[in-house]
Amino acid sequence: MDTLIEYSTGATLSLVQEGYITQDMLIRPIDQKASSVDVDGRPGVVRETVNHGTRVIILPVLFIASDEIDFALRRDKLFSIFSDLEPFYIYEGRPTYKTSTYEFELPGQTWGENLQLPNNIEILKGKRYKVIRTNMNEVEQNGLLGKVDIEFETFQLPYAESPGTTLEERTFDKEIWQTGQGLMAVDPTTLKYVFQNEASFQIYNAGNVPLKTNLRDMLFEIEFRGASTNLSIRNVTNDTQWQYNGSSGTNDVIKLATPTRFTKNGSSIFKDTNRKVLVLNPGWNTIQISGGSQFLISFRFKFYYK
């Protein structure tokens, strides 16, 4: 297996290409945080809220050195790779053929000379995790073989996310999409996220996490261009509604962006709205627009996965 690292600069690093093999990517379920209160005379507790916490991901990493000096160099290089203080994304890489073991080079061989190494790896580019390293044990040495477990914790949101957004082309020949994203069973021609002068339409959320306009670090943007009076955007599916108690002209741009930022031509209109949260459920959502005329509306978001 392999792990692909993507830094905030956009630069990427493959562990296999650097001489390291990921034995597995151990992804734990998301922690759940519950708040509760004790009530005198009542058995048990009263649950007030339950929220998602963080998620832990563990990478068992292997490498083999050509000699003792090379072992130290490879160990230190691995420490350097995972000592960045900035959060980064990790992608899972899986072999494209059935295999249960990996063969390593003999001492004196150059990494990659052994044709039995896992070089048929597919990086699953459709889902990534934003993480920080929280723990890294000392490298266990067995001869010239090194092994270490590296532990990460999700940064900000605990979900996997799609690198691509709804306004990018959704074809599987592009590396930002893959099977298992909730897109396979949907006719691509029905997946529209830009609508012109349509009072009612459907939006598809391929993730299994609801999108909310008040969630920090979640990409969910709605842009309305055109004339309106008392513009209303309502999700009939879950009965959430956002309304602007004002007007806009033909060339004006009204924008809803997380977390709870409502603007017209870049200036805040928060006080002139109903200050409500608009939510998109997983799957299909029926949206109704009222108060608008001669408009173009677009929905830009990523897909998020538990």
Side-chain angles (χ1 to χ4, degrees):
M1 292 178 59
D2 190 11
T3 301
L4 183 72
I5 299 170
E6 181 180 332
Y7 299 100
S8 58
T9 60
T12 59
L13 180 148
S14 161
L15 288 187
V16 160
Q17 291 179 7
E18 296 297 321
Y20 306 97
I21 288 178
T22 304
Q23 278 190 294
D24 201 353
M25 181 180 283
L26 306 175
I27 303 173
R28 291 181 181 170
I30 300 170
D31 290 335
Q32 293 194 163
K33 301 185 300 181
S35 63
S36 60
V37 293
D38 293 315
V39 179
D40 289 340
R42 183 189 187 281
V45 296
V46 177
R47 295 292 183 188
E48 291 189 325
T49 60
V50 180
N51 291 309
H52 284 148
T54 59
R55 163 180 261 148
V56 172
I57 299 174
I58 300 174
L59 297 182
V61 175
L62 296 173
F63 67 87
I64 191 167
S66 57
D67 53 39
E68 288 291 343
I69 295 176
D70 185 50
F71 185 95
L73 294 175
R74 289 183 181 273
R75 177 202 61 203
D76 294 348
K77 183 177 180 180
L78 192 62
F79 289 161
S80 176
I81 290 173
F82 291 109
S83 294
D84 199 324
L85 298 178
E86 295 295 320
F88 50 86
Y89 293 102
I90 56 174
Y91 299 79
E92 187 173 10
R94 291 276 177 177
T96 56
Y97 55 90
K98 184 176 181 180
T99 180
S100 58
T101 59
Y102 297 119
E103 296 294 335
F104 295 91
E105 290 86 350
L106 297 173
Q109 287 183 304
T110 302
W111 186 269
E113 286 184 350
N114 190 331
L115 298 180
Q116 297 186 46
L117 275 168
N119 52 11
N120 294 327
I121 299 290
E122 179 180 354
I123 301 296
L124 305 181
K125 289 288 189 70
K127 292 181 181 180
R128 64 184 184 182
Y129 294 90
K130 191 174 187 179
V131 299
I132 54 173
R133 180 178 68 82
T134 54
N135 190 32
M136 186 172 183
N137 299 328
E138 66 277 5
V139 176
E140 177 185 343
Q141 183 174 359
N142 184 4
L144 296 179
L145 179 67
K147 180 180 179 181
V148 63
D149 290 340
I150 309 170
E151 186 172 305
F152 305 89
E153 191 174 273
T154 50
F155 185 82
Q156 297 166 333
L157 296 175
Y159 312 119
E161 68 171 38
S162 66
T165 74
T166 51
L167 297 188
E168 297 178 68
E169 185 182 4
R170 288 172 303 282
T171 57
F172 288 105
D173 58 351
K174 296 192 68 173
E175 290 192 341
I176 57 176
W177 306 110
Q178 68 174 54
T179 58
Q181 284 186 275
L183 294 169
M184 289 294 291
V186 182
D187 181 356
T189 61
T190 66
L191 292 182
K192 290 176 57 180
Y193 296 94
V194 180
F195 305 87
Q196 185 169 13
N197 301 329
E198 295 186 47
S200 181
F201 49 84
Q202 288 194 308
I203 292 288
Y204 185 71
N205 175 11
N208 56 20
V209 176
L211 303 171
K212 301 179 181 180
T213 51
N214 68 337
L215 281 186
R216 185 177 298 276
D217 306 313
M218 177 175 280
L219 179 63
F220 181 24
E221 297 176 352
I222 303 173
E223 185 176 278
F224 177 95
R225 293 175 176 266
S228 70
T229 302
N230 296 327
L231 173 66
S232 170
I233 305 173
R234 178 173 178 244
N235 188 344
V236 178
T237 304
N238 55 34
D239 201 29
T240 58
Q241 181 176 350
W242 180 88
Q243 183 166 326
Y244 170 46
N245 302 314
S247 61
S248 62
T250 305
N251 297 319
D252 288 333
V253 177
I254 295 173
K255 192 170 185 178
L256 289 67
T258 52
T260 320
R261 177 168 167 76
F262 310 141
T263 61
K264 183 172 76 172
N265 301 328
S267 299
S268 176
I269 56 171
F270 180 81
K271 64 182 179 63
D272 298 318
T273 70
N274 64 350
R275 307 180 185 186
K276 297 296 184 180
V277 176
L278 192 69
V279 180
L280 281 188
N281 289 353
W284 288 105
N285 295 259
T286 300
I287 307 296
Q288 288 183 348
I289 307 295
S290 61
S293 60
Q294 298 301 313
F295 63 87
L296 187 73
I297 187 169
S298 63
F299 291 73
R300 177 175 176 263
F301 54 87
K302 295 182 178 182
F303 304 132
Y304 296 88
Y305 304 89
K306 299 175 187 175

